[in-house]
Amino acid sequence: MSVWGEIMATALFDFRRSLTVSKLSVFVILSLFPPAIVAILLFGPGLEAAPVIIGVTVMMVGVLAELLWATPIVYAELEGKTWVFLAVRPRGVLAALLGKYLMAVLWTMAVCTIAMTICILLAAAARVPDVLRMWRVFVVLIILAAFSYAAIFTLIGVLFHRRAMVFAMAYVIVLEGIVAQIPAVINQFTVRHHLTALAVKWLDFRFLGDEEVPEFILHQILGAQEPDWRNILMVTAAAALALAASMWIISSREYITVDEV
């Protein structure tokens, strides 16, 4: 079987194994959380900030989905005592890594797209203008975010498999939460900065209600002056580098199974 065939076989097996009541319940809850928040705010005082509300809530759900599906890629196999069987097969660990990475991306894209589409329908019902362009922009951003964050969280799971979710959460809070807002070169190393810059430009985000967004925030923090190609390149490069590092580490590193502890 080819490498691609092994990856797809792993992905399909992991998909069938994910079809449990608990995991599907999490899927539904995550999908409905942003529409619930948007419904409360859109029909209240937050009508003019619809793109911000939708973008922030859907991104939060996407990060949570990646934390659940991408970070435990290695530890789930070690805890399930299946790592030995993967390690003795040619390209077994790589196929498992890439197959589970692909499923994490697809599950996250499904959750975020469903949540965002319901939010857009609510925005249309609230007579928010230009909702179709908003939907198209968010679909592209969801795809970019799903691949990049899944790759980063996979790398964290490969490096710190026993405390992967803790380290991933620390990464989100420190880099994506704090560093991304610093008006300096350092924010260029965060995925969130580039996704925000694309959203600001593509949605022509210049006003919040009746007030114009200050130029300093628009350009220095939100990155509205940066070219689209550079933002897309930085996001895809982050995903490619993180995934390549994960493949190299998992191929060369020895993991202690539960039986050996």
Side-chain angles (χ1 to χ4, degrees):
M1 185 182 292
S2 64
V3 176
W4 178 248
E6 293 175 352
I7 293 171
M8 292 306 299
T10 303
L12 290 174
F13 174 77
D14 194 61
F15 173 73
R16 289 193 293 266
R17 194 168 60 174
S18 300
L19 297 178
T20 61
V21 174
S22 60
K23 291 187 177 181
L24 290 177
S25 298
V26 171
F27 181 90
V28 173
I29 292 171
L30 289 176
S31 299
L32 295 181
F33 176 74
I37 300 298
V38 169
I40 294 171
L41 296 176
L42 277 184
F43 295 96
L47 183 64
E48 68 280 355
V52 178
I53 298 168
I54 295 174
V56 170
T57 53
V58 172
M59 180 180 177
M60 287 172 54
V61 164
V63 169
L64 288 173
E66 298 286 23
L67 284 171
L68 293 173
W69 284 306
T71 52
I73 283 178
V74 173
Y75 188 71
E77 300 299 328
L78 292 172
E79 190 178 32
K81 301 181 181 180
T82 56
W83 183 261
V84 175
F85 300 100
L86 296 173
V88 297
R89 291 180 60 86
R91 304 186 302 268
V93 291
L94 286 179
L97 175 76
L98 295 176
K100 287 177 174 291
Y101 165 76
L102 180 60
M103 286 312 305
V105 170
L106 294 177
W107 275 116
T108 302
M109 286 172 56
V111 167
C112 292
T113 302
I114 291 172
M116 183 269 299
T117 301
I118 299 175
C119 290
I120 293 296
L121 293 175
L122 291 171
R127 301 186 182 278
V128 174
D130 213 3
V131 292
L132 186 57
R133 181 176 70 161
M134 202 184 305
W135 186 86
R136 291 196 300 264
V137 169
F138 282 134
V139 164
V140 176
L141 295 178
I142 285 170
I143 293 172
L144 291 172
F147 278 97
S148 56
Y149 281 123
I152 293 170
F153 288 172
T154 297
L155 176 59
I156 293 173
V158 169
L159 288 171
F160 313 103
H161 61 281
R162 293 188 183 277
R163 297 288 184 270
M165 199 166 291
V166 175
F167 281 97
M169 201 65 216
Y171 163 82
V172 171
I173 294 171
V174 176
L175 268 75
E176 302 296 328
I178 299 174
V179 174
Q181 299 184 105
I182 298 176
V185 178
I186 191 172
N187 67 10
Q188 299 286 326
F189 295 96
T190 65
V191 173
R192 177 193 154 192
H193 172 79
H194 299 288
L195 295 177
T196 302
L198 291 172
V200 167
K201 290 188 66 176
W202 292 347
L203 294 174
D204 194 22
F205 185 70
R206 294 290 184 273
F207 295 89
L208 186 59
D210 296 329
E211 297 183 4
E212 186 176 1
V213 179
E215 288 292 321
F216 172 77
I217 295 177
L218 200 62
H219 295 294
Q220 298 300 321
I221 298 179
L222 300 181
Q225 83 286 358
E226 298 171 7
D228 293 349
W229 66 266
R230 188 171 71 182
N231 289 315
I232 295 173
L233 178 63
M234 291 295 288
V235 172
T236 53
L241 290 173
L243 194 59
S246 299
M247 294 170 63
W248 179 76
I249 293 169
I250 205 171
S251 300
S252 57
R253 184 175 178 180
E254 293 185 2
Y255 292 93
I256 300 175
T257 61
V258 175
D259 293 336
E260 295 174 311
V261 176

